[in-house]
Amino acid sequence: MTETTTVTTIVAASPERCYELAIEYERYPEWAADIKEARIRTRDDAGRGSEVEFRAAAMGRSTNYVLRYNYGSNPLRISWRLMEGDV
């Protein structure tokens, strides 16, 4: 059986402000309850995180993983790919 979860949050902010907050990876633990640590491993030429290591914990379990971020030609587009993980 596959476990899934869905969370919906309404944010009263402009897309630009949401993007600014979304790329402040090291601040995720301040507002994302399950993210305990976030560390930028590498940055792109614009100073944005390109490889970010996370430690998350929820429901008595902890996991570590690394995401590689890509920024599209649309200035508000972000995608990521799992590079490493212990799950």
Side-chain angles (χ1 to χ4, degrees), residues 16-31:
E16 291 80 12
R17 183 64 180 140
C18 291
Y19 178 83
E20 289 170 7
L21 294 173
I23 65 172
E24 291 184 9
Y25 306 108
E26 291 171 316
R27 295 190 67 186
Y28 279 25
E30 295 175 22
W31 58 268

Side-chain angles (χ1 to χ4, degrees), residues 29-86:
E30 295 175 22
W31 58 268
D34 294 342
I35 303 297
K36 305 305 179 193
E37 294 178 44
R39 183 177 65 84
I40 297 175
R41 287 181 161 185
T42 60
R43 295 181 182 273
D44 68 7
D45 292 339
R48 302 171 296 197
S50 55
E51 235 180 60
V52 183
E53 182 176 358
F54 293 93
R55 184 176 68 82
M59 299 188 300
R61 295 185 181 181
S62 181
T63 185
N64 292 293
Y65 57 95
V66 176
L67 300 180
R68 176 169 291 149
Y69 288 89
N70 297 298
Y71 303 90
S73 57
N74 174 336
L76 302 180
R77 175 166 277 194
I78 306 170
S79 64
W80 58 89
R81 170 176 259 159
L82 177 66
M83 301 306 294
E84 300 173 28
D86 59 11

Side-chain angles (χ1 to χ4, degrees), residues 4-19:
T4 63
T5 186
T6 302
V7 176
T8 301
T9 303
I10 297 172
V11 178
S14 69
E16 291 80 12
R17 183 64 180 140
C18 291
Y19 178 83

